[in-house]
Structures are given as C-alpha cells and as structure tokens.
Amino acid sequence: MRNFTTVTDVVDLNALIKEALDLKKNPYAHKTLGVNKTLGLIFLNPSLRTRLSTQKAALNLGMNVMVMNMDKEGWALETEDGIVMNQNTVEHIKEAAAVMGQYCDIVGVRSFPKLIDRDDDYSGDFFKKFIKYSGVPIVSLESSKLHPLQSFADVLTIEETKKVARPKVVLTWAPHIKSLPQAVPNSFAEWMNAYDVDFVITHPKGYDLAKEFSGKAKIEYNQTKALEGADYIYVKNWSSYEDYGKVLSMDSNWMMTNEKLKNTNNGKVMHCLPVRRGIELADEILDGPNSLVVQEAGNRLWSAQAVLKKILESNF
Ligand code: SN0
C-alpha cells in the first residue's frame, strides 16, 4: 500500500484487520520498522483522536513525528492552478506539498470540505495534488469526503465485539446545531459495504448520501423500523448531500436514547466523537453499558499503526 485515502487502497481487508488486532496484542513487535523515517501530520482543521492516535502509532513503529496546524501556523494555501495569487492565499500547494515531501517520508493530511461547492469538495482535488506534488505516500486524516482511519477503527471495534458472523449495523443520522461534513458517514458506509454486514442507513428525507459510498446499503427513512434487531447503531450527524451543505432538520426525535435501544438486539452504540451530548446522543447512552465510543476511539491507534506499517513495508 502506498497511499491511504479510501477502503479501495486496501488490497486485503481481512488481512489488514488481523494485522491491526495483532498489533493491539503486541504494540511494540515492529518497533524498529520506522527508525529514521519521519511522519509529518498536517492539520487544516481541529483534531484530538486523529492527531494523538496517529502520533502514537508512528512512535510505536519507531518513527519520528512532526505535527503542524496549517490552519493556524502555516501560510494560507492556494490549490487552484494558473491563478494569479493577488488575494489572501500566500503559498501554492505545488510548493508546499513538495517541500513537505523533502522533510517527511510519509505525510498525513486533514482537510475538511468547505460545504459550499459539492463538485469542488467531492473532486478529491486537494488529496490528488498532495499525492502528486509531495512525491511521498499520503495518509488521509479526514478528507472532504472520507475518513478512512476512523472507519477502519470502526470495523475493528465491530470485529472484536460481534456475537454473530454477520451483525445488523445501522447508521443513523442524528441532529446537530451545525452543518457537518458527510465524510464520516460516507466512509463508514464504504467500509461496511466492503466488510459485508447487514447494513441499513436511516435518516430524514433529503439526507441521502452519495450513491458511490452508500452502495448496496438498505435505506430506511423510518428510524424505528431501521433499528429493529440492530446489533450496532452508528450515530452521526451530517449535512445534506442533495441540498449541499444545508441543515434540513433539527428534529430532536432523531436523538439516540435508551428508549430506542429497547427495539434493538441489545444494540451497541458507536460514534466517531466529538459528540454533542443531549443533541446527537443522550447522556444515558454515553454513560451506559451499551456505549462503545471509548473502545472505538482506542482502536484508532491500531488502525493507524496497521496502515503506517503497511506503507513502511511497501518499500516506497
Ligand atoms: C467532524 C465531522 O466530520 O463531522 C469531525 C469528526 C471526526 N466533526 C465536527 O466537526 C464536529 C464539530 C462540532 O461542532 O460538533
């Protein structure tokens, strides 16, 4: 594996799952693999789990790590080609990515969508340019449309807790006060389709995800029906893809509560975090026995470590 930006970069998902769970049992088994290699982590948006888990994963493999908050500490980046830079952007991605490639052996990049122009956000242009101009392997730390390290950790969490071979997994939309990206639900759907579970997505009308990611998932607009017999409930807000970036509903009836769990198969509740308590998820769920959110966040370490290991081993 050279770059990691989507599940389709993974050659053998089952093998990668095994790799990550082996690392969880034996974190320092490959502690010299990354010696004298440097990972650069570039954030254009805030981060807690991604930043810490990816750093820790690199350290476990013996790598050096440099972190930069580009949005606060870097020059404003220009990504358009052939533009006369007489406005606010200071440095072009052509030079910026190329320079990072001089200092780093692998670069991780986080760049959220602007949620204004759907074609622009979904073009993947930013990552394509980073891959092209840096000349080194690129790991997505959440792009404008996908968050693969999160979804890989989600798969690991299901894999290590599932009680049946093919559990029912329900991705449910939840309310939020802001307009959020579709990256986490797109990515979760993409990975669930590759992992092969009984996969249902539920959301109010107008919140359908891009077909390229929801794929073969069953779409059910009635949340109560969708949750029937669920083994896992993945809660997340996202803004509309159709009416791009818009908040179409703030209906608090969509918040996940203990009452709704009664209808499930003692369903375990997941969320990528950060979560808005009392809006997306009730306190009683987050503080109760069915919440997997902390274990799920813990697995971010093993997903990142397995991915970095694969890239280091590919002798790029
Ligand atoms: C991001 C998102 O993509 O939904 C990151 C999730 C890993 N979440 C947020 O931006 C939450 C912001 C908020 O104000 O709650």
Side-chain angles (χ1 to χ4, degrees), residues 110 112 142 147 176 178 180-181 183-184 236 272-274 276:
R110 165 165 287 191
F112 286 0
E142 187 170 343
H147 193 1
H176 202 285
K178 278 170 39 183
L180 295 191
V184 170
K236 183 71 183 90
C272 64
L273 306 179
R276 299 278 189 140

Side-chain angles (χ1 to χ4, degrees), residues 79-271:
T79 54
E80 240 178 81
D81 291 328
I83 197 166
V84 175
M85 287 167 59
N86 60 1
Q87 299 293 315
N88 295 328
T89 54
V90 180
E91 175 156 37
H92 203 278
I93 193 168
K94 285 187 179 182
E95 285 78 41
V99 169
M100 286 173 209
Q102 298 287 304
Y103 308 145
C104 305
D105 299 283
I106 303 175
V107 175
V109 185
R110 165 165 287 191
S111 175
F112 286 0
K114 296 186 188 79
L115 293 175
I116 297 164
D117 179 340
R118 186 169 91 176
D119 289 343
D120 186 31
D121 285 344
Y122 275 69
S123 70
D125 187 55
F126 189 83
F127 274 76
K128 281 184 204 148
K129 286 187 169 145
F130 235 100
I131 288 169
K132 182 170 172 191
Y133 297 120
S134 70
V136 297
I138 296 295
V139 175
S140 166
L141 308 174
E142 187 170 343
S143 70
S144 51
K145 53 180 180 176
L146 292 170
H147 193 1
L149 285 175
Q150 176 65 50
S151 312
F152 182 18
D154 299 333
V155 165
L156 295 177
T157 309
I158 295 173
E159 180 70 18
E160 65 183 0
T161 56
K162 69 181 183 185
K163 295 192 174 69
V164 290
R166 200 165 180 276
K168 177 171 177 182
V169 179
V170 180
L171 165 62
T172 179
W173 181 90
H176 202 285
I177 55 160
K178 278 170 39 183
S179 169
L180 295 191
Q182 297 100 32
V184 170
N186 281 344
S187 192
F188 185 71
E190 190 190 46
W191 283 69
M192 283 303 112
N193 284 324
Y195 180 48
D196 191 28
V197 290
D198 178 10
F199 185 44
V200 178
I201 307 179
T202 184
H203 49 70
K205 293 235 165 86
Y207 278 97
D208 290 75
L209 296 168
K211 200 76 193 119
E212 62 177 306
F213 302 121
S214 58
K216 60 191 178 190
K218 186 168 165 233
I219 313 298
E220 171 58 70
Y221 297 107
N222 180 325
Q223 192 194 39
T224 310
K225 268 198 204 158
L227 290 177
E228 263 168 37
D231 297 294
Y232 293 91
I233 303 118
Y234 197 93
V235 181
K236 183 71 183 90
N237 168 267
W238 62 89
S239 61
S240 175
Y241 173 74
E242 287 165 21
D243 195 354
Y244 193 64
K246 297 285 184 319
V247 175
L248 307 177
S249 168
M250 303 240 284
D251 185 354
S252 58
N253 288 320
W254 279 81
M255 180 172 78
M256 198 60 209
T257 60
N258 272 349
E259 183 59 33
K260 291 183 187 174
L261 277 187
K262 287 184 188 159
N263 186 28
T264 69
N265 185 24
N266 193 23
K268 297 283 183 268
V269 179
M270 301 173 70
H271 189 289

